[in-house]
């Protein structure tokens, strides 16, 4: 009984539907100025328009590229640095305080400087993405490596593993679930970073569009764009979860 | 033929901050025949695990030496394989991949690795579970994986450190008799540490009794029970005699150290 509809979903959907209806009424009837809050049907129309004109596609693609060009190297560098922090006292003493400071410092404040250094083009956006992502990846990798169990390393050593084999066969796979959690954290920070950098100054990108439409006082378009950004983050995190379940079935279960 | 020789083995663990170094083993001498099944008993903390680690060369002796077939042992190698009390399996690898671990370290080609691993998984009765992960197995099955992993590198000496210590009494007896079957098939030399007096007698050709810390060998008892041994042998008069002898020896050592591991004295 009740196997078809989960009551929790039902309540959740009802709440969302009610919210949309109220929003529609308030916005469409100008109970609150619609150029400030917009309303669902107007947003849907704007979304169609943005998509049809190709404006959304071109800008989203530009942002996606900047994101990828920053995030991919952040994975490599973050994991290597994280390994370094965990395994080498020298690396740790050299870089870790800086990283902890970077983790808490507002990266956005550095964007103007990054633009001066790397120009107004896509490079400064990729660098922002990189910096936003590399910190949580490195910190989580360190945590993951520190949490690897002595018994995994002992098993490898007993069978004559070299140092490299211990890293490859015990430490990295053992740290993987925590590294993946770091990637999920990093996605969120990197998206905020790349959009914020585009909003500061750029010629192309979702952040640029948000900036343009907000100067024009267009709430509907801003909602569409924020939705696109949120959707992208949602998809990324979902993909990472799928990947994590595949790669680390023993941990994902717990 | 004498295969494994431990000579004047001494091990000091480095001092903790401010303290003195800790002497875990003092002058252990032991000679093991090829194909012999030797069990090692002694009070908790007397250095049994330390001795196995030294033989495996996971630790370096402070003094003395270990040699295998006349060659000094300097590094871990496939001629000696360890089976651990805590199994030490890799949770992200299924049974097959766990068993292949030692072969990977030796650079054996993938296809051959799988062949050898399958053969040993069969031997420990886990054929139907080769795709299972450790968290999907019972304790007894996990230790079978540990044993198959050790057997896969085809070691000359099997070093087993309380391999059944984490299992309940019944499974423990079953695993013991299975181990004997496997041993009777290819007669590998086995050094087997245990806290269980019955297990020590049931399995052994010879029992090595160690002193309270710092560990030395205080006595060696040849076990003259016919093989193959069934579980019922535990109720025989001869078995009882060994049990009493061993119990008295251990009691003396334990009284000196003032501890008997995990209250397992009563065998
Ligand atoms: N890494 C280490 N550093 C310092 N002391 C150690 C270390 N490992 C073991 N010891 C000490 O050396 C002694 C022997 O330890 P070992 O683990 O070999 O004993 P054991 O006979 O295997 O004990 P058990 O029966 O409880 O397993 C113990 O007193 C232990 O506290
Ligand atoms: Mg021990």
């Amino acid at each position: 009984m009740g196997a078809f509809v989960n009551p929790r979903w039902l309540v959740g959907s009802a709440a969302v539907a009610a919210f949309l209806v109220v929003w529609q009424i308030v916005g469409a009837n100008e109970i609150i100025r619609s150029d400030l809050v917009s309303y669902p049907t107007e947003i849907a129309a704007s979304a169609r328009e943005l998509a049809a004109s190709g404006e959304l596609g071109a800008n989203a693609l530009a942002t996606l590229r900047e994101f990828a060009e920053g995030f991919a190297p952040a994975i490599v560098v973050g994991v290597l640095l994280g390994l370094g922090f965990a395994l080498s006292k020298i690396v740790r003493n050299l870089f870790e305080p800086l990283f902890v400071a970077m983790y808490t410092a507002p990266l956005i404040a550095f964007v103007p400087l990054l633009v001066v250094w790397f120009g107004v083009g896509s490079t400064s956006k990729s660098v922002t993405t990189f910096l936003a992502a590399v910190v949580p990846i490195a910190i989580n990798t360190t945590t993951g490596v520190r949490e690897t169990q002595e018994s995994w390393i002992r098993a490898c050593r007993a069978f004559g593993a070299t140092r490299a084999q211990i890293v490859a066969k015990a430490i990295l796979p053992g740290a993987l679930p925590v590294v993946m959690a770091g990637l999920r954290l990093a996605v969120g920070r990197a998206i905020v970073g790349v959009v914020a950098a585009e909003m500061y100054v750029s010629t192309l990108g979702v952040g640029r569009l948000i900036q343009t439409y907000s100067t024009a006082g267009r709430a509907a378009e801003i909602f569409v764009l924020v939705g696109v950004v949120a959707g992208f983050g949602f998809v990324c995190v979902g993909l990472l979860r799928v990947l994590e379940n595949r790669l680390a079935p023993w941990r994902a279960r717990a | 033929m004498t295969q494994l020789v431990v000579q004047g083995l001494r091990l000091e663990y480095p001092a903790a901050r401010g303290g003195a170094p800790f002497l875990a083993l003092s002058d252990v001498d032991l000679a093991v025949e090829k194909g012999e099944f030797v069990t090692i008993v002694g009070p908790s903390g007397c250095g049994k695990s330390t001795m196995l680690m030294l033989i495996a060369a996971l630790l370096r002796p402070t003094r003395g030496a270990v040699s295998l077939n006349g060659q000094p042992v300097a590094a871990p190698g496939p001629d000696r394989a360890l089976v651990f009390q805590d199994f030490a399996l890799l949770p992200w690898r299924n049974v097959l991949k766990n068993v292949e671990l030692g072969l990977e370290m030796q650079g054996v080609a993938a296809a051959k690795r799988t062949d050898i691993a399958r053969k040993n998984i069969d031997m420990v009765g886990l054929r139907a579970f080769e795709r299972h992960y450790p968290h999907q197995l019972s304790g007894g099955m996990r230790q079978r994986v540990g044993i198959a992993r050790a057997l896969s590198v085809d070691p000359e000496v099997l070093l087993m450190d309380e391999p059944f210590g984490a299992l309940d009494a019944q499974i423990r007896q079953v695993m013991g008799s299975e181990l004997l079957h496997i041993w009777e098939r290819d007669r590998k030399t086995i050094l087997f540490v245990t806290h269980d007096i019955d297990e020590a007698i049931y399995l052994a050709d010879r029992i090595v009794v160690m002193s309270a810390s710092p560990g030395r060998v205080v006595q060696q008892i040849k076990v003259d029970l016919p093989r193959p041994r069934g579980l019922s042998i535990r109720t025989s008069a001869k078995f009882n005699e060994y049990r009493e002898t061993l119990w008295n020896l251990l009691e003396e050592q334990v009284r000196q150290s003032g501890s008997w591991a995990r209250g397992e004295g009563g065998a």
Side-chain angles (χ1 to χ4, degrees), chain B residues 13-14 22 24 42-51 162 195 213 261-262:
Chain B
Y13 282 108
F22 181 83
S44 183
C46 76
K48 303 179 295 294
S49 299
T50 303
M51 181 159 90
E162 296 191 55
H195 272 114
S213 186
R262 303 184 277 282

Side-chain angles (χ1 to χ4, degrees), chain A residues 19-104:
Chain A
F19 175 73
L20 289 177
V21 169
V22 172
W23 188 5
Q24 178 75 21
I25 294 166
V26 168
N29 298 308
E30 297 282 345
I31 296 172
I32 301 175
R33 281 171 52 187
S34 73
D35 60 333
L36 292 184
V37 300
S38 187
Y39 49 91
T41 51
E42 188 189 30
I43 293 169
S46 303
R48 270 195 302 275
E49 222 169 279
L50 276 168
S53 69
E55 194 182 8
L56 181 61
N59 284 283
L61 207 65
T63 303
L64 190 64
R65 240 194 65 201
E66 291 160 357
F67 179 84
E69 284 173 357
F71 203 80
I75 296 176
V76 177
V77 174
V79 169
L80 288 178
L81 266 175
L83 268 178
F85 288 158
L87 302 178
S88 152
K89 217 172 190 158
I90 299 171
V91 177
R92 180 161 63 239
N93 290 343
L94 274 176
F95 292 109
E96 203 174 26
L98 178 73
F99 260 64
V100 173
M102 270 174 78
Y103 193 64
T104 46

Side-chain angles (χ1 to χ4, degrees), chain B residues 19-206:
Chain B
F22 181 83
L23 181 62
L25 284 181
S26 75
D27 299 304
V28 172
D29 288 302
L30 186 67
V32 181
E33 297 292 302
K34 190 172 168 62
E36 197 179 10
F37 201 132
V38 173
T39 57
I40 301 168
V41 295
S44 183
C46 76
K48 303 179 295 294
S49 299
T50 303
M51 181 159 90
L52 290 197
M53 302 246 273
L54 284 164
I55 295 171
L58 289 177
L59 281 177
R60 269 180 196 295
T62 309
R63 213 169 58 205
V66 176
S67 62
L68 188 67
N69 303 319
Q71 297 297 315
V73 151
D79 45 7
R80 290 145 290 143
L82 267 162
V83 177
F84 301 96
Q85 175 173 8
D86 62 356
F87 318 136
L89 302 178
L90 304 180
W92 55 90
R93 288 178 173 232
N94 63 26
V95 168
L96 185 65
K97 290 288 165 195
N98 261 295
V99 173
E100 285 183 21
L101 182 75
L103 299 164
E104 282 175 31
M105 301 307 177
Q106 289 173 248
V108 176
K112 188 159 174 227
R113 235 162 40 208
T114 309
D115 272 0
I116 298 173
R118 285 230 166 90
K119 204 187 82 208
N120 287 288
I121 290 168
D122 263 7
M123 179 139 49
V124 298
L126 285 182
R127 169 181 282 186
F129 296 92
E130 68 171 43
R131 302 272 162 216
H132 282 58
Y133 286 85
H135 72 256
Q136 302 168 314
L137 304 175
S138 70
M141 290 158 94
R142 284 182 211 178
Q143 194 54 295
R144 279 170 233 249
V145 178
I147 293 170
R149 179 176 67 184
L151 290 173
S152 284
V153 297
D154 196 19
E156 293 185 47
V157 181
L158 208 52
L159 305 167
M160 308 182 82
D161 191 1
E162 296 191 55
F164 308 147
L167 309 179
D168 65 55
Q170 225 164 350
I171 299 289
R172 192 169 180 147
Q173 290 199 9
V174 173
M175 295 286 290
S177 75
E178 280 181 16
L179 179 63
L180 276 190
H181 281 307
I182 292 171
W183 175 74
E184 267 148 20
R185 221 181 300 182
D186 58 4
R187 292 274 170 169
K188 282 189 191 311
T189 311
I190 298 184
L191 259 68
F192 187 108
V193 170
T194 178
H195 272 114
D196 186 319
I197 289 179
D198 275 30
E199 191 171 71
I201 303 164
Y202 174 70
L203 296 171
D205 292 323
R206 181 158 50 114

Side-chain angles (χ1 to χ4, degrees), chain A residues 197-219:
Chain A
E198 285 174 349
M199 287 175 68
Y200 176 68
V201 55
S202 65
T203 48
L204 209 56
V206 177
R208 167 79 274 170
L209 282 188
I210 292 175
Q211 181 62 36
T212 309
Y213 284 111
S214 74
T215 332
R218 301 280 314 173

Side-chain angles (χ1 to χ4, degrees), chain A residues 84-180:
Chain A
F85 288 158
L87 302 178
S88 152
K89 217 172 190 158
I90 299 171
V91 177
R92 180 161 63 239
N93 290 343
L94 274 176
F95 292 109
E96 203 174 26
L98 178 73
F99 260 64
V100 173
M102 270 174 78
Y103 193 64
T104 46
L107 179 65
I108 313 291
F110 289 104
V111 168
L113 213 55
L114 293 174
V115 170
V116 173
W117 292 345
F118 298 100
V120 296
S122 74
T123 310
S124 59
K125 316 303 176 297
S126 298
V127 172
T128 309
T129 309
F130 174 86
L131 290 175
V134 77
V135 178
I137 296 173
I139 288 177
N140 268 55
T141 303
T142 307
T143 309
V145 171
R146 284 187 187 148
E147 282 175 9
T148 50
Q149 288 180 18
E150 175 273 333
S151 70
W152 305 338
I153 294 164
R154 171 159 36 90
C156 291
R157 287 225 303 135
F159 288 102
T162 60
R163 249 186 100 77
Q165 280 174 320
I166 290 173
V167 171
K169 292 179 196 292
I171 292 176
L172 276 179
L176 191 69
V178 187
V179 175
M180 294 298 290

